[in-house]
Amino acid sequence: MSDKVYPVPAQWKKRALVNDEQYKKMYAESITAPDKFWAKHAKRLDWFKTPKKIKNTSFAYDNVSIKWFEDGVLNVSVNCIDRHLKKRADQTAIIWEGDDPYYDKKITYRELYEQVCRFANVLKKQGVKKGDRVTIYMPMIPEAAYAMLACARIGAVHSVVFGGFSPDSLAGRINDAQSKFVVTADEGLRGGKKVPLKANTDEALKKCSGDEKVVVIRRTGGAVAMQAGRDVWYHEEAAKVPAECKPEKMKAEDPLFILYTSGSTGKPKGVLHTTGGYLLFASMTHQYVFDYHDGDIYWCTADVGWVTGHSYILYGPLANGATTLMFEGVPNYPTASRFWEVIDKHQVNIFYTAPTAIRALMGAGEDFVKRTSRKSLRLLGSVGEPINPEAWEWYHRVVGDDRCPIVDTWWQTETGGILITPLPGATKLKPGSATRPFFGCKPALVDDKGEFLKGEASGNLVILDSWPGQMRTVYGDHERFVQTYFSAYKGMYFTGDGCRRDKDGYYWITGRVDDVLNVSGHRLGTAEVESALVSHPKVSEAAVVGYPHDIKGTGIYCYVTLMAGEQGSDILRKDLVTHVRKEIGPIASPDLLQFAPGLPKTRSGKIMRRILRKIAEDEFGNLGDTSTLADPAVVDDLIANRQNKK
Ligand code: WTA
């Protein structure tokens, strides 16, 4: 942990939306008088009907219910587009930067309006109705944004599936959402490599109901099979429909989107976000955390397949009439200077990325950064996993030339928007700390029994009351929502994260305390990787844990027991890695895989993951009590055959 403190720079004190005194005042009001506070801030949105009922929420275990602004009526696409047309029709809404640096384009708010209306009409013509789920499996091209906003316009619920997921993962999500519509592209392009999105969709749909419809965007022009009656080309359909589409009037609590995310058990769950509270929270956090002023060029490097892309490429920025940059490529293509070149090319003022990217680029050396100017940068942001102080310092010194504050923003798919974060004009920074709660967020630390920890302490991070951006339920399974988030500590939302609070009341997130891995900022359940492994015919049992990885933050360590008579070999190891990639997607690729004749189990047959974690972490001396093991000898074998870190 770092004890260095970075004060708010003088020029920030002058121009920032909020200083420390204002932060404290607003925060206090948001906690003591939430109805008044949020009624006032709800005015930042345009409502067809202004809400009178503000907060109606309960975290009680037997009655978890979350409603915000429930009598309000609005439309998200109107808030993100139509209402800006009077003042900023010709302002750029989206800057698109292609995978190949030669290609970019700027989309004004007027163009965005036409594109989204057209897309909405195409969806309607395919039969999409209010409340229907539309799966979006796309590369990072403007059409992904058009498709999402088009759903919002007609009241359909989008479910974006990250383009790196496998056909199986896609099929699981289509089926769980009972989605009858898929929007995809012929192929994606990342780092010069093609991603066969349409072929993957074809593969996935073999495992679905058979009555889906598919809209295909032409991105690369690569050859794809089109199935008559099921698949249509977007450009052909778009030419037949008008560029005007009346927005649906949506209740604040009508669903806006589902986004699948991994938990500690079972299959990924469909996190459901609704219309009013989500948009208000995304827009407000975007403005205050990034201190967004009119005219700023803002770039979040996430993919729209993750929640960061939803809230901070699309909904937050567009609701604020911002110029938001959307990047198709990867940080190291064509070279490790790419991010910094894009910043210079488009004069980016605010840059928001993930620690894993920072660590990887740090490894490539300062020269790649220093050969660019980056004078336009004013503010840097970090999200997705704890940022180690070394990476923070490098980001600050090398990328930001010691000039730009860093907002280390802690939040989750479930929270809809940022919950713990510095505000650049208000908060002194400590490298590695997400610092203080945003308005409306009431964090606390509890021990494993649920007792509150006071003052300086380490424990489990819980949130004591609802905020407008909170997820409302797990799609189709409210009981799972209650069990996952409200059963560990009754009356509180459990985040799944461990956290330390220092003497100044600053929060330091230490990482997941459940069986969720955070691999390069992507969430994965150990159970998902295990179930992929045991679906291989030669595998009888598997246990997966995380271990510290220099670039990825957490690496994936797999212990695999083979079927009787099978022999472990390098070929089989490679085969298993390929199998997991195929089952889930490349993000789940095991880093280390050890063949284990036996796994450490209690006498009742429960795998002792604590021991497996210690071995993976190289902490053999610290295995704790192994006396309850059914067969303590397996531990010696595991230690003797531990795989080395890459
Ligand atoms: C982790 C991403 C430390 C955390 C927005 C959380 C972080 C999980 C930070 C959610 C941060 C996210 N510092 N850890 N600034 N931001 N995390 O749902 O473990 O993909 O629970 O949402 O990422 O990941 P998710």
Side-chain angles (χ1 to χ4, degrees):
M1 205 182 306
S2 163
D3 43 21
K4 250 173 126 174
V5 176
Y6 288 76
V8 175
Q11 67 274 30
W12 271 89
K13 286 197 174 140
K14 274 186 244 141
R15 72 161 272 160
L17 294 168
V18 175
N19 62 28
D20 193 38
E21 208 178 303
Q22 287 161 323
Y23 162 76
K24 286 181 176 141
K25 207 170 140 233
M26 286 172 78
Y27 180 72
E29 191 196 350
S30 76
I31 298 299
T32 54
D35 280 303
K36 188 171 154 226
F37 181 86
W38 290 110
K40 186 164 69 197
H41 288 284
K43 293 194 185 118
R44 64 188 297 121
L45 298 184
D46 277 11
W47 300 82
F48 294 126
K49 179 168 179 273
T50 307
K52 295 270 172 320
K53 287 191 195 163
I54 305 301
K55 181 173 185 288
N56 179 7
T57 66
S58 155
F59 280 7
Y61 178 61
D62 55 1
N63 175 36
V64 176
S65 162
I66 296 148
K67 290 186 186 142
W68 284 89
F69 314 112
E70 57 193 296
D71 59 342
V73 178
L74 75 166
N75 181 285
V76 166
S77 83
V78 168
N79 274 280
C80 290
I81 312 170
D82 307 35
R83 68 166 170 160
H84 303 313
L85 293 179
K86 241 190 265 152
K87 228 175 99 189
R88 49 178 109 242
D90 294 319
Q91 182 202 305
T92 301
I94 299 176
I95 300 173
W96 178 76
E97 169 77 13
D99 184 55
D100 179 334
Y102 181 79
Y103 295 99
D104 59 19
K105 95 178 136 185
K106 292 188 172 148
I107 298 124
T108 63
Y109 272 95
R110 180 182 294 114
E111 285 160 347
L112 184 63
Y113 173 82
E114 289 170 9
Q115 296 281 5
V116 168
C117 285
R118 234 183 247 290
F119 214 118
N121 286 327
V122 168
L123 291 178
K124 273 182 162 177
K125 231 178 118 192
Q126 293 303 301
V128 179
K129 304 219 156 45
K130 182 173 176 175
D132 286 348
R133 278 78 54 214
V134 176
T135 303
I136 298 177
Y137 182 60
M138 290 274 272
M140 285 287 288
I141 54 177
E143 286 79 1
Y146 306 157
M148 291 164 78
L149 289 160
C151 288
R153 192 158 192 93
I154 63 176
V157 183
H158 59 70
S159 163
V160 183
V161 177
F162 174 57
F165 277 123
S166 68
D168 260 16
S169 301
L170 175 61
R173 287 156 172 80
I174 293 172
N175 289 332
D176 186 83
Q178 297 152 300
S179 162
K180 298 288 177 236
F181 305 93
V182 181
V183 177
T184 189
D186 48 4
E187 294 169 316
L189 207 53
R190 272 169 63 86
K193 291 194 202 99
K194 290 180 173 167
V195 186
L197 295 172
K198 174 63 165 66
N200 286 353
T201 304
D202 293 342
E203 199 56 36
L205 288 178
K206 286 184 192 157
K207 299 187 172 158
C208 299
S209 70
D211 49 8
E212 291 82 11
K213 293 246 188 277
V214 185
V215 177
V216 189
I217 318 287
R218 191 187 261 154
R219 164 65 189 96
T220 63
V224 294
M226 295 292 280
Q227 184 175 314
R230 187 192 73 179
D231 306 345
V232 295
W233 282 110
Y234 177 72
H235 60 272
E236 289 176 4
E237 297 307 305
K240 300 178 201 158
V241 296
E244 284 286 338
C245 173
K246 213 168 153 247
E248 258 329 294
K249 294 198 162 137
M250 305 300 287
K251 294 197 196 104
E253 283 300 339
D254 282 338
L256 175 64
F257 66 84
I258 300 168
L259 186 56
Y260 284 85
T261 193
S262 297
S264 40
T265 54
K267 284 193 279 185
K269 40 186 178 295
V271 168
L272 184 93
H273 283 289
T274 56
T275 302
Y278 169 80
L279 188 67
L280 175 59
F281 201 67
S283 118
M284 188 156 161
T285 45
H286 173 261
Q287 187 179 7
Y288 284 99
V289 175
F290 300 107
D291 202 71
Y292 190 86
H293 287 60
D294 265 359
D296 287 344
I297 311 287
Y298 162 89
W299 180 17
C300 163
T301 68
D303 190 287
V304 289
W306 310 111
V307 75
T308 309
H310 284 58
S311 300
Y312 299 114
I313 294 178
L314 216 60
Y315 290 123
L318 293 180
N320 293 338
T323 298
T324 179
L325 195 149
M326 185 175 187
F327 176 43
E328 187 182 33
V330 295
N332 57 358
Y333 177 83
T335 73
S337 284
R338 187 68 192 275
F339 273 179
W340 328 123
E341 284 165 2
V342 173
I343 287 170
D344 286 350
K345 179 179 178 187
H346 298 294
Q347 291 294 292
V348 171
N349 308 116
I350 304 163
F351 177 68
Y352 189 31
T353 194
T356 186
I358 298 165
R359 287 192 298 265
L361 294 170
M362 193 168 128
E366 284 185 25
D367 284 357
F368 286 104
V369 191
K370 291 299 178 193
R371 65 169 75 140
T372 63
S373 151
R374 290 157 287 105
K375 284 274 182 302
S376 59
L377 280 179
R378 200 175 64 238
L379 179 66
L380 303 171
S382 170
V383 60
E385 52 177 318
I387 178 164
N388 46 313
E390 304 71 46
W392 196 103
E393 296 282 0
W394 187 85
Y395 196 24
H396 191 264
R397 177 177 59 82
V398 180
V399 177
D401 285 327
D402 288 317
R403 181 186 72 238
C404 308
I406 297 175
V407 286
D408 175 359
T409 63
W410 174 85
W411 60 295
Q412 310 178 297
T413 306
E414 294 87 337
T415 69
I418 295 165
L419 282 192
I420 302 182
T421 179
L423 299 185
T427 316
K428 289 184 198 142
L429 306 174
K430 299 187 191 183
S433 173
T435 77
R436 305 187 292 192
F438 188 76
F439 309 131
C441 167
K442 209 171 164 188
L445 301 182
V446 294
D447 65 16
D448 287 342
K449 293 193 195 81
E451 298 294 329
F452 284 111
L453 301 166
K454 297 263 179 296
E456 251 185 289
S458 285
N460 302 304
L461 179 64
V462 294
I463 314 287
L464 301 182
D465 201 355
S466 184
W467 62 98
Q470 184 173 23
M471 74 183 281
R472 301 305 197 246
T473 192
V474 170
Y475 181 75
D477 196 349
H478 193 66
E479 188 50 28
R480 190 170 175 202
F481 176 58
V482 176
Q483 290 311 323
T484 308
Y485 303 103
F486 299 93
S487 69
Y489 309 109
K490 303 281 181 317
M492 315 171 200
Y493 168 82
F494 177 42
T495 61
D497 279 322
C499 181
R500 208 185 89 83
R501 189 174 44 220
D502 70 14
K503 60 179 187 333
D504 298 324
Y506 273 35
Y507 289 85
W508 302 70
I509 312 294
T510 49
R512 302 291 302 198
V513 294
D514 54 8
D515 287 322
V516 171
L517 306 180
N518 198 326
V519 182
S520 301
H522 301 324
R523 263 170 80 165
L524 272 177
T526 52
E528 285 170 76
V529 184
E530 287 163 4
S531 102
L533 284 166
V534 296
S535 73
H536 189 281
K538 293 189 176 164
V539 174
S540 111
E541 199 169 28
V544 172
V545 298
Y547 71 95
H549 187 290
D550 288 347
I551 305 283
K552 299 179 170 187
T554 302
I556 304 178
Y557 197 111
C558 306
Y559 299 88
V560 173
T561 307
L562 297 174
M563 294 287 187
E566 296 294 345
Q567 275 295 320
S569 67
D570 282 346
I571 294 177
L572 181 55
R573 185 176 281 127
K574 275 206 191 110
D575 191 33
L576 291 176
V577 170
T578 311
H579 180 71
V580 174
R581 292 171 67 97
K582 194 182 140 284
E583 289 285 307
I584 304 176
I587 56 167
S589 197
D591 294 286
L592 295 172
L593 192 147
Q594 172 171 359
F595 295 111
L599 295 173
K601 288 183 186 168
T602 60
R603 288 189 193 98
S604 60
K606 202 167 168 274
I607 295 176
M608 292 188 76
R609 295 172 164 281
R610 178 176 53 81
I611 293 177
L612 293 176
R613 240 178 258 132
K614 291 285 178 206
I615 296 174
E617 285 166 7
D618 236 344
E619 298 211 9
F620 309 149
N622 189 13
L623 288 185
D625 183 12
T626 55
S627 63
T628 53
L629 286 178
D631 177 7
V634 295
V635 173
D636 300 331
D637 177 84
L638 290 175
I639 293 177
N641 291 301
R642 187 187 177 282
Q643 297 295 296
N644 282 321
K645 286 181 194 172
K646 275 179 200 156

